[in-house]
Amino acid sequence: MQGFIPPFKTDPINRQVILSRRPMGSPVAADFARRDAQVPSPGEGMFLVRNLYLAADPVQRGWAANPALTPLGEPMRALSVGVVLDSRDSGIRPGDIVYGFLGWQDYKVATRADLLSHIEKPLAPLSAYAGVLGMPGVTAWLALGDIAPPYDGAGMLVSTAAGTVGSVVGQIAHRAGAYVVGLTGNDDKVKLCLADYGYDAAYNYKSVDLASVLAEARPEGFDIYFDNTGGPILDTAIRAMARHGRIVHCGTAATPSWSPPPTGLRNEREILMRALTCGGFVIFDHVARFPEAIERLTDMVLAGELKFHDHVEAGIDRISGSLEALFADSNAPKTLVYIGED
Amino acid sequence: MQGFIPPFKTDPINRQVILSRRPMGSPVAADFARRDAQVPSPGEGMFLVRNLYLAADPVQRGWAANPALTPLGEPMRALSVGVVLDSRDSGIRPGDIVYGFLGWQDYKVATRADLLSHIEKPLAPLSAYAGVLGMPGVTAWLALGDIAPPYDGAGMLVSTAAGTVGSVVGQIAHRAGAYVVGLTGNDDKVKLCLADYGYDAAYNYKSVDLASVLAEARPEGFDIYFDNTGGPILDTAIRAMARHGRIVHCGTAATPSWSPPPTGLRNEREILMRALTCGGFVIFDHVARFPEAIERLTDMVLAGELKFHDHVEAGIDRISGSLEALFADSNAPKTLVYIGED
């Protein structure tokens, strides 16, 4: 696929989705507006990217709230996959695929500091580089490796098990020989966990008594919990851990707002008595490790060990609604928006 | 001191403090009773110990609540320091000092499985083998080493900073070059922290606005928090941590009862966003490592790098009241009871 450049319009405009209003809590579509701008030209050491896939990610809640990260009137800070059209950086060539902080817009003049990955030879569908081979997949790979490597026979629990991170966690754990139990929020996702994502068992946490289900699923307790939710699921999971177990704190999807500070069960005694190790993971601490992680994940994809289902829609006007849906509906699929055909 | 055996009565009885009633919540003196028993004789592979120092430790709350650990009518499960009087174990000689699960009583027929340490050549006052060279000191040494080794320039926070564990933590951290801040519950202990226990700063958490004090004491945040309290102090400390910091969960002194389950601030987002590592530590997982740890701690004592103040009273009738005071008064000193002179 290297060197392929789609036939874009000869007299293009740069369609942008800008932040027009600072969100109150979770962002909604009405916080954004469309604007047309000129296509910029790259200066020395820079390159011009035509974005192909725009992503809507939970992390954008924080980016939209932070004037230093997303000034009002500027394109929304976002991770996108694009193709390089023109380059004045000798290490980046036209036709190369890139993934990084390219914003909700058609065109971006970027430098390497904006990139999370630079794919000279794409081996998977380009959308995958924003998903299983992008931030979510790399998060799963590195968070597991750093905090709680799965191993043969380990009892492993994963929340938002069918999500973009959880689905990769399940398959990495399965490959390592762990007994993997997934928690998700609807029955279709339970089926997907069992069919495609490597889970030995999966439950819709909304329709079961979670403490009983976990005690039955793993009477000896879980050795690893990969937590994408926090909240009451975390409280229950901690109390289902085996001694000397490990917890990866990777997401807090269960808590819609941290202001005012929410309360819950005190968990320090469980951590102490069970001699647990708990680690927080922030993917942006690990930007330099993306290439290596993507290489490993690509190996798994090519070996048929890593399945993924990208939900792709087309049309730049859909992106802000996709972000709103992420926060409004816990069962909304994570959507990528393709903007190469317009 | 090896080989020294105090001149005990020629026709001795074995005074015991038994658990006469299962405690409701924290144990009180009225849960225990005195009983006189015969002095037992060691069988093959066993040895007879005359206890010299009885300890009252917070961990005994759990032991007193558990019929499997302390049956009603039996001597209270307890850690004691004693001298071997008679031995049918070829590795244990009369005159040796031992520390372990010897109970609240004058005499115990023990096996090596009852011991946490066997001191052939005592180099410190014998009471120290129940304190700075016993469970509290070894807890400080191993929990730090395993979960959060202090290092030159690290910002380090310690709760119950003048306690039997905290006072050792402060000095180990000081020796490693850390900037050590202690929290304690009265002004006399603040002075002790600063004068003797290696703290660069110390505060009475009851008389300050803790969040402001921590922000001023270490504006860049703490790299290590050694938590002996849990509760609101933990909640505030987590929010004063530097990114990539480490928390040792070693005690939960702030929470008098876990039934019904207490609530507090949700902390998972702090752990995640700050990319913290939190580890629970239970000393009885590490019994095999006592000799090595005691050797290192003894080196520090002999080098004058590890100060301690044992609070010793005399008379076996004082021990149950000492345990009650531990839970009733957060400022009660941890008392050892000497019973060798009676």
Side-chain angles (χ1 to χ4, degrees), chain B residues 120 161 212:
Chain B
E120 294 179 84
S212 313

Side-chain angles (χ1 to χ4, degrees), chain A residues 230-232 234-235 243-244 249-251 258 261-266 268-269 271-273 275-282 285, chain B residues 230-232 234-235 243-244 249-251 258 261-266 268-269 271-272 275-282 285:
Chain A
L234 169 63
D235 297 342
R243 297 200 73 237
H244 302 287
H249 292 280
C250 191
W258 292 89
T263 57
L265 286 181
R266 287 214 158 275
E268 63 263 30
R269 184 168 184 263
I271 298 171
L272 193 168
M273 299 290 279
L276 303 178
T277 300
C278 308
F281 187 83
V282 176
D285 291 338
Chain B
L234 170 64
D235 298 343
R243 296 201 72 240
H244 302 286
H249 292 281
C250 191
W258 293 87
T263 57
L265 286 181
R266 286 214 159 276
E268 63 262 29
R269 184 167 184 264
I271 298 171
L272 193 168
L276 303 179
T277 300
C278 308
F281 186 84
V282 176
D285 292 340

Side-chain angles (χ1 to χ4, degrees), chain B residues 173-256:
Chain B
H174 173 78
R175 185 178 178 237
Y179 180 80
V180 200
V181 175
L183 302 178
T184 185
N186 74 43
D187 294 339
D188 288 340
K189 290 184 182 174
V190 166
K191 287 179 196 153
L192 207 52
C193 284
L194 297 172
D196 284 352
Y197 294 151
Y199 289 90
D200 296 286
Y203 304 95
N204 177 349
Y205 72 88
K206 292 177 180 169
S207 62
V208 298
D209 174 50
L210 189 56
S212 313
V213 157
L214 296 185
E216 271 177 51
R218 189 75 179 179
E220 64 270 53
F222 289 92
D223 304 297
I224 297 174
Y225 172 45
F226 196 105
D227 179 31
N228 289 309
T229 62
I233 294 178
L234 170 64
D235 298 343
T236 305
I238 285 183
R239 288 160 177 80
M241 293 295 288
R243 296 201 72 240
H244 302 286
R246 304 181 78 87
I247 295 177
V248 182
H249 292 281
C250 191
T252 59
T255 302

Side-chain angles (χ1 to χ4, degrees), chain B residues 1 5 36 56 68 77 80 92 103 124 158 168 204 214 222 228 239 295 298 303 310 318 338:
Chain B
M1 224 181 283
I5 302 177
D36 289 340
R77 182 181 177 86
S80 312
I92 305 270
V158 184
V168 178
N204 177 349
L214 296 185
F222 289 92
N228 289 309
R239 288 160 177 80
E295 211 171 305
T298 302
D310 287 336
R318 293 178 181 269
Y338 181 69

Side-chain angles (χ1 to χ4, degrees), chain A residues 249-331:
Chain A
H249 292 280
C250 191
T252 59
T255 302
S257 170
W258 292 89
S259 172
T263 57
L265 286 181
R266 287 214 158 275
N267 289 329
E268 63 263 30
R269 184 168 184 263
E270 301 299 325
I271 298 171
L272 193 168
M273 299 290 279
R274 294 171 196 271
L276 303 178
T277 300
C278 308
F281 187 83
V282 176
I283 185 63
F284 299 107
D285 291 338
H286 305 278
V287 167
R289 301 164 72 197
F290 267 67
E292 163 79 14
I294 291 172
E295 211 171 301
R296 296 285 80 73
L297 290 162
T298 302
D299 291 344
M300 281 183 70
V301 168
L302 297 178
E305 296 171 332
L306 189 49
K307 296 182 185 163
F308 55 96
H309 299 279
D310 287 337
H311 183 84
V312 180
E313 299 185 352
I316 197 167
D317 290 331
R318 293 178 180 269
I319 192 64
S320 56
S322 296
L323 186 65
E324 177 175 339
L326 268 192
F327 299 104
D329 172 9
S330 65
N331 280 319

